Amino acid sequence: MRADRLLSLLLLLQNRGRMTAPALAAELEVSVRTIHRDIDALGASGVPVLADRGPAGGYRLADGYRTRLTGLTDTQAGSLFLAGAPGPAQELGLGADLAAAQLKLQAALPTALAVRARRIQDRFHLDAPAWFREADPVPHLAQIAQAVWDQHVLRTHYRRWRGEVRRELHPLGLVLKSGIWYLVADVADVADADGAVRTYRVSRFLTVDTAPERFERPAGFQLASYWQESTSRLDSVLHQQTADIRLSPRGQRLLPMQFGAAGTRALADAGPADADGWVRLRIAVESQAVAVGDLLRLGTEAEVLGPPELRRALAETVAALAGRYS
């Protein structure tokens, strides 16, 4: 561990120039005292580390010194695919590998490209989770990720909306969707589930045990293709109904925020605005119970015209609310 840290310290000084001990300590998540000891160790090994005194001081490498110890380990190389998502990389247990891989990659780049890469990193950041929602607790994520990588069978205890179930799974891949981790797995218990490939929300695993047995991945299986087909299929199942609604100008601004892509598509096909700016449109909705809740979020900026049963359900809900608050 110390050898890795010393190399990371050396690469930080090479890539960024002069850095203070507190800044180095923050980057490497160690104490300032540890940084001082590591600097002494680098100097003893022949690395020309210079210490500049004063308010603008810090540690730096002698002019012209560059290390060539930039080889990536297997794990570090694999972690580069998560370079744009440091949070998820940390959840997968690859945070330290990703940081080390990025330092090594920057050190191997020509100076001009290294400066450009650093500038991009300073100016763009991906934060996957949605606003105002706590991240799912995923205590088993790293273990599941390792099983995906090693192709080991998982014996799991899973909580679903119909109750708890025990499954033996062949983990095929992990997907991060809107800040939520999902496991795509082949159900090994053929008699119970016909060997179907299914999607599991990682936070709902109650227990996960990695079995010593390994499995063979299905020939031709592609995670990205499966996920695209699965989400398209889910969208078509969920949005089987349409609602005929009128929207105020403010409601038109709210619709994409409340309904996402479905709201954007509906607005694009909306009819002409009336004298008050209201438009009429049709939008895909889920079941009636879900649609009532979704449409109520638009408040007085929307009026549901049909279907009649949805309009009645909204009217009954609004009347019940009025009675409660009167």
Side-chain angles (χ1 to χ4, degrees):
M1 288 298 292
R2 193 189 184 202
D4 289 341
R5 191 176 69 243
L6 288 174
L7 179 57
S8 296
L9 175 59
L10 175 57
L11 293 175
L12 279 169
L13 294 174
Q14 178 173 307
N15 293 334
R16 303 188 189 180
R18 183 188 292 109
M19 294 183 68
T20 65
L24 289 166
E27 284 284 345
L28 298 177
E29 299 181 348
V30 296
S31 68
V32 172
R33 180 177 295 181
T34 298
I35 293 297
H36 290 317
R37 287 200 298 263
D38 287 350
I39 290 292
D40 291 340
L42 286 177
S45 66
V47 177
V49 183
L50 305 179
D52 296 329
R53 307 291 181 183
Y59 293 112
R60 63 181 175 87
L61 297 177
D63 292 342
Y65 180 84
R66 290 184 67 83
T67 180
R68 296 302 176 195
L69 297 174
T70 55
L72 295 175
T73 66
D74 290 344
T75 307
Q76 290 168 356
S79 71
L80 286 173
F81 288 98
L82 294 167
Q90 190 73 36
E91 291 179 326
L92 287 169
L94 294 172
D97 290 301
L98 177 59
Q102 288 175 325
L103 284 173
K104 291 180 179 181
L105 184 59
Q106 289 175 10
L109 290 172
T111 302
L113 290 180
V115 171
R116 178 177 175 81
R118 180 67 183 171
R119 185 179 301 154
I120 291 174
Q121 188 178 36
D122 288 341
R123 287 161 173 76
F124 300 96
H125 176 70
L126 174 63
D127 185 13
W131 283 105
F132 312 120
R133 187 180 66 202
E134 293 291 333
D136 273 358
V138 284
H140 306 297
L141 179 61
Q143 181 183 359
I144 291 172
Q146 192 64 48
V148 169
W149 182 255
D150 294 333
Q151 294 180 219
H152 274 285
V153 174
L154 289 175
R155 297 191 176 100
T156 67
H157 185 191
Y158 186 76
R159 184 184 69 253
R160 54 184 182 177
W161 68 272
R162 288 178 297 181
E164 299 176 6
V165 64
R166 295 187 183 273
R167 282 278 184 266
E168 188 170 288
L169 303 176
H170 295 171
L172 302 177
L174 284 163
V175 176
L176 180 64
K177 172 72 171 178
S178 300
I180 299 174
W181 285 102
Y182 295 93
L183 171 66
V184 176
D186 197 350
V187 181
D189 189 348
V190 179
D192 187 32
D194 299 326
V197 176
R198 295 184 176 178
T199 302
Y200 298 86
R201 189 161 171 164
V202 173
S203 63
R204 294 180 182 167
F205 283 106
L206 301 175
T207 62
V208 173
D209 294 314
T210 304
E213 307 97 284
R214 302 187 67 187
F215 66 91
E216 292 296 325
R217 292 175 64 83
F221 177 81
Q222 293 184 334
L223 181 61
S225 298
Y226 165 83
W227 187 257
Q228 183 176 6
E229 293 169 3
S230 176
T231 52
S232 298
R233 187 166 58 250
L234 178 63
D235 185 68
S236 63
V237 169
L238 291 178
H239 296 98
Q240 292 185 340
Q241 303 182 49
T242 58
D244 185 7
I245 65 175
R246 289 177 66 242
L247 279 179
S248 70
R250 183 169 182 270
Q252 295 164 49
R253 295 192 297 271
L254 291 174
L255 194 66
M257 291 186 283
Q258 301 289 4
F259 285 83
T264 301
R265 290 192 297 267
L267 279 175
D269 297 330
D274 62 18
D276 297 322
W278 287 60
V279 299
R280 183 169 176 170
L281 53 84
R282 296 183 66 82
I283 184 169
V285 294
E286 297 186 39
S287 65
Q288 180 170 293
V290 175
V292 167
D294 289 344
L295 291 166
L296 279 176
R297 287 186 294 172
L298 296 171
T300 59
E301 309 302 326
E303 179 189 0
V304 174
L305 304 175
E309 57 272 18
L310 178 58
R311 183 179 172 93
R312 281 195 302 271
L314 272 161
E316 291 169 359
T317 303
V318 171
L321 284 170
R324 180 168 298 170
Y325 288 100
S326 62

